[in-house]
Amino acid sequence: MKATAIANANIALVKYWGKRDKKLMLPQNGSISMTCDGLATTTTVDFGDYENDIVILNDEELQKDKEAIVAHLDFIRGMAGIKQKAKMVSSSNFPVAAGLASSASGFAALSLAASKAAGLNLSKKELSILSRRGSGSASRSIAGGFVEWHRGQKDDGSDSFAESVVDKNYWHEFRMITTIVTEAKKKVSSRSGMAQTVENCPYYDGWRKTINNDLDTVRSGIKNRDFTLVGSTAERNCLKMHALMMTTTPAIIYWFPPTMQIIQSVMLWREEGLECYFTIDAGANVKVMCLEKNAAEVNKRLLGLNGVIKTIICRPGDEARLVDKHLF
Ligand code: PMV
């Protein structure tokens, strides 16, 4: 009863920030992302004769902080009608919990590996819905290329899942340069940050009113491979989300000085004719979008900025998949 899966992280171009159902992890709005090749989590799950669930993340056995993972394993055990405890070993090739969507690749890999190990053969839609219950953005890491997570209308969440808009080869020139300025764990989790935003941000209604337009623009921009349209809409959408965060009480400001430095540099480089756009999630790290032809130059300039620790250049990546090589 052992299986191993690999899933890539994803970066949203139109963001998800707020739930309409906290238990089922149903979003207030739809979102669109790129699954990122090169930001991968590999997870092996074995159900067997263990006394308790054992969770080992990046070589460290978790004692506390494992409730969300154990709850997800419980849910899968319930679906499969099994009782055995599990050993889970997971490893990511990028910094976790720093706004790099490690929970997305993590819960997608866990959902695929654990459901398979438990004897379930779920469809992609069912896997996306299962991953969503671990972490909302994980619903998108099940699919490859550019991906849309549908808001859905139903109260039971059966229509709130993610699927590919186009596969990874369709727009293979697109690059997302993950620019790391800190590897520290963020102070406010996205879960509590978004809950607080929905509760008391005075501009939340304004955000909601603009989202369908952003989704339509980015979806059709991807299909037409219109980089200017997709990049500029994604950048504006990110700034709108951070404006929400900054105007909730208490204020949430994820940015560090190098974050601001990158924002202003990207705007300046664009004025100079080097086309690139930024997007930022719940953390200080920045992702810079450009096309393949400009990637080396943009990357060189990013690495020349004060405070940039390293960069990872990602292209559109694969969907989550099972592999034969187990981690234990
Ligand atoms: O599902 P979570 O808890 O990883 O929240 C994701 C929130 C953002 O990364 C800020 C936006 C998004 O759509 O990925």
Side-chain angles (χ1 to χ4, degrees), residues 12 15-17 31 103 135-137 140 190-191 194 241 281-282:
K15 310 285 187 191
Y16 144 62
W17 194 252
S31 53
S103 66
S135 166
S137 58
R140 298 186 308 238
S190 44
R191 193 167 298 194
M194 65 176 80
M241 178 182 72
D281 292 294

Side-chain angles (χ1 to χ4, degrees), residues 61-290:
E61 180 168 353
L62 299 191
Q63 302 302 343
K64 39 188 179 71
D65 290 347
K66 65 174 182 183
E67 292 85 0
I69 291 170
V70 171
H72 206 59
L73 288 167
D74 281 341
F75 188 74
I76 293 166
R77 278 188 281 257
M79 285 171 83
I82 61 167
K83 293 245 175 324
Q84 286 105 315
K85 298 289 181 192
K87 177 173 176 183
M88 165 196 162
V89 176
S90 183
S91 113
S92 295
N93 63 359
F94 59 94
V96 295
L100 284 190
S102 59
S103 66
S105 54
F107 274 104
L110 171 61
S111 299
L112 179 53
S115 60
K116 187 75 189 168
L120 297 165
N121 270 316
L122 302 181
S123 67
K124 279 190 197 162
K125 179 176 168 182
E126 289 167 326
L127 277 168
S128 174
I129 288 175
L130 174 61
S131 303
R132 188 199 76 213
R133 296 187 63 125
S135 166
S137 58
S139 64
R140 298 186 308 238
S141 275
I142 291 295
F146 291 85
V147 177
E148 179 160 6
W149 172 16
H150 306 290
R151 176 194 189 275
Q153 301 298 329
K154 296 186 181 158
D155 287 342
D156 68 359
S158 58
D159 57 352
S160 184
F161 65 99
E163 60 186 342
S164 283
V165 177
V166 296
D167 73 13
K168 66 167 191 170
N169 298 316
Y170 185 86
W171 201 4
H172 55 87
E173 300 91 347
F174 199 102
R175 293 289 177 279
M176 187 75 78
I177 308 182
T178 298
T179 309
I180 297 174
V181 302
T182 173
E183 305 207 20
K185 197 171 172 342
K186 60 196 172 203
K187 286 210 183 101
V188 182
S189 70
S190 44
R191 193 167 298 194
S192 67
M194 65 176 80
Q196 179 192 313
T197 304
V198 176
E199 218 169 275
N200 72 28
C201 176
Y203 306 118
Y204 198 70
D205 267 351
W207 156 265
R208 279 216 305 232
K209 280 186 193 131
T210 67
I211 288 292
N212 282 341
N213 202 23
D214 288 356
L215 288 169
D216 291 343
T217 307
V218 169
R219 193 187 309 109
S220 72
I222 289 169
K223 286 183 181 157
N224 294 320
R225 300 186 189 90
D226 184 338
F227 182 65
T228 304
L229 190 63
V230 171
S232 60
T233 311
E235 187 176 286
R236 246 187 337 267
N237 181 270
C238 147
L239 289 173
K240 280 191 284 190
M241 178 182 72
H242 283 271
L244 297 180
M245 296 164 168
M246 289 173 189
T247 51
T248 71
T249 309
I252 306 169
I253 303 178
Y254 286 112
W255 301 353
F256 288 174
T259 314
M260 198 64 216
Q261 165 98 37
I262 298 170
I263 291 175
Q264 291 185 324
S265 302
V266 164
M267 288 176 151
L268 183 72
W269 298 339
R270 212 156 61 214
E271 272 170 36
E272 291 168 2
L274 181 64
E275 194 172 17
C276 52
Y277 301 89
F278 61 83
T279 185
I280 308 161
D281 292 294
N285 296 316
V286 184
K287 294 91 188 184
V288 179
M289 294 164 269
C290 64

